[in-house]
Amino acid sequence: MSTAHTHPGPVAEPVLVTGLGATTPLGGDVASTWEAMLAGRSGIGPIEEEWAAGLPVRIAGRLAVEPTEVMDRVQARRLDRCEQIALIAAREAWADAGTPGVDPERLAVVIGTGTGGALTMLGQDDVLERSGVRRVSPHTVPMLMANGPAAWVSIELGARGGAHTPVSACASGAEAIAMGLDLIRLGRADVVVAGGTEACVCALPLAGFAQARAHSTRNDEPALASRPFDVDRDGFVIGEGAAVVVLERAGFAAARAARAHAALAGAGVTSDAYHITAGHPEGQVRAMRRALASAGLSPLAVGHIHAHATSTPQGDLVEARSIAEAIGPHPAVTATKSMTGHLFGAAGAVGALSAILAVRDGAIPPTRNLDTLDPEVKLDVVAGGPRRGPLTAALANSFGFGGHNASLVFTSAP
């Protein structure tokens, strides 16, 4: 039997981040998104379509650049919006990594999502009810299935080492990156394209979150609505977008003289087994501690934390207390959902992107709309403007409905 593609077993090499890609409410690529984050700009605005007129919530973080402006329109018609933006982010990340010449059997894809093709499912259901079965698109199922983004990226890149889809609510993107780390450390891949995608700005989730009183209702001041850790926060703001990273085994990257943005040093994934929507601090603490143990770092080594911090009254407090217990009060903390809104399945990947760039550039984005820090938040939260200075390690948190917790640790590239 041939052993050409059997994996060699666990490896102890560092895992490097060699490619970055994104499309978000702040910009259609990494450079524009990062520039807007550092400037503290908001990507949140009013929803002006007629379908939102009667909703209690009429604001969202919409994409800064429409997918059809940067991809083939024929292909776009056959893809759900979440698949479109996953491909756009993956293409940028792959090009940024220098299009690695990797054995397809040693290339894997992991793209997480919270809802998958929600827009297709709801839209085609409307078509079925209104016009009958003959008007339903034959592309409906490939467009609505949650594994669609990972599948399309794997097809585009020719990845035959596995195409995986973590579906763990708001922790999906971070879990995808954690899984990419595992695949390389276990010797099953040399290169992994990992990240998260979400596009579900539509009436049903907005109505559901409004009924649950989880979404901000500041319809008249969208740019001020998402305010993590602020004493006047009143809920998150829904957003859409995608972010993707290319992870490589250090030896493979060195052999092709690849440049690295940072190293993915460790990851911790836990579950609360507690409540379907309320997070538990013990689970979050365990995730952060596992990430540090995986990275071989002490809490004092962490200089920066990208908080999950969605701007909900209780959720922000739970995370603040968890950070103080697991890491301590010393890291500089930021919450970029104040600018992008909450991108659900893509949130962890966008948070990872911010942490990677903070380590690479020595710059931490401010938390927008932080006028008065909640006195119960005993953390050093960056506000007003970016904080600059060298960073050797940053941690990014993602926590999702269902009790999913994921923490990622990034360090300077070796």
Side-chain angles (χ1 to χ4, degrees), residues 5-414:
H5 297 303
T6 57
H7 68 81
V11 296
E13 298 175 32
V15 173
L16 305 182
V17 180
T18 59
L20 301 172
T23 181
T24 74
L26 297 177
D29 56 18
V30 170
S32 56
T33 295
W34 183 231
E35 190 272 333
M37 280 184 177
L38 290 177
R41 288 201 293 271
S42 175
I44 297 169
I47 302 173
E48 297 177 342
E49 290 91 336
E50 289 185 7
W51 57 259
L55 294 174
V57 172
R58 298 182 299 281
I59 55 176
R62 311 294 287 272
L63 290 172
V65 177
E66 277 298 307
T68 50
E69 294 182 24
V70 293
M71 75 183 309
D72 179 76
R73 290 180 179 270
V74 174
Q75 183 182 36
R77 284 197 296 271
R78 298 180 178 180
L79 303 175
D80 182 82
R81 190 173 178 87
C82 78
E83 296 171 335
Q84 294 171 359
I85 59 180
L87 267 177
I88 289 168
R91 286 169 178 170
E92 183 187 7
W94 193 247
D96 183 49
T99 60
V102 58
D103 180 347
E105 300 284 346
R106 303 285 298 164
L107 172 62
V109 172
V110 193
I111 305 291
T113 184
T115 62
L119 295 181
T120 293
M121 179 177 288
L122 294 170
Q124 290 301 305
D125 183 65
D126 286 344
V127 170
L128 178 63
E129 294 293 326
R130 184 175 61 251
S131 304
V133 65
R134 292 184 180 275
R135 303 298 296 177
V136 173
S137 169
H139 303 291
T140 295
V141 173
M143 291 172 70
L144 67 82
M145 61 192 193
N147 63 304
W152 279 113
V153 172
S154 72
I155 291 167
E156 171 130 338
L157 300 181
R160 298 179 182 176
H164 308 279
T165 306
V167 179
S168 45
C170 312
S172 301
E175 281 206 33
I177 294 171
M179 186 174 183
L181 176 66
D182 287 344
L183 288 171
I184 294 175
R185 283 184 169 177
L186 290 170
R188 295 177 181 171
D190 293 317
V191 180
V192 179
V193 177
T197 185
E198 203 77 89
C200 60
V201 178
C202 55
L204 185 60
L206 280 166
F209 285 128
Q211 287 296 96
R213 298 185 179 181
H215 200 292
S216 173
T217 55
R218 286 186 169 91
N219 293 312
D220 296 332
E221 43 186 11
L224 304 181
S226 182
R227 40 199 322 114
F229 299 126
D230 188 81
V231 71
D232 291 326
R233 65 192 181 279
D234 71 331
F236 64 74
V237 176
I238 192 172
E240 60 180 356
V244 171
V245 301
V246 175
L247 305 175
E248 291 191 40
R249 178 172 58 82
F252 185 86
R256 66 182 194 89
R259 169 218 55 195
H261 296 284
L264 174 55
V269 177
T270 67
S271 53
D272 291 340
Y274 168 67
H275 192 276
I276 197 63
T277 56
H280 194 287
E282 191 269 341
Q284 297 179 7
V285 168
R286 284 189 293 115
M288 286 182 266
R289 286 178 173 166
R290 285 188 184 182
L292 288 176
S294 173
L297 296 175
S298 74
L300 289 175
V302 177
H304 166 50
I305 294 177
H306 185 283
H308 180 66
T310 62
S311 185
T312 59
Q314 290 303 313
D316 286 9
L317 282 184
V318 170
E319 183 178 11
R321 291 165 183 159
S322 299
I323 289 172
E325 180 178 346
I327 310 296
H330 62 277
V333 176
T334 196
T336 60
K337 291 182 183 68
S338 59
M339 295 174 266
T340 64
H342 191 359
L343 276 57
F344 303 135
V350 173
L353 174 72
S354 177
I356 291 164
L357 293 171
V359 168
R360 187 194 72 182
D361 296 348
I364 300 170
T367 302
R368 183 183 169 88
N369 300 324
L370 184 55
D371 297 329
T372 305
L373 183 67
D374 188 321
E376 294 190 51
V377 175
K378 311 296 185 182
L379 300 174
D380 176 17
V381 184
V382 179
R387 187 175 300 179
R388 300 184 185 275
L391 285 171
T392 57
L395 182 144
N397 280 333
S398 293
F399 310 127
F401 279 4
H404 303 275
N405 308 304
S407 296
L408 304 171
V409 175
F410 297 97
T411 58
S412 302

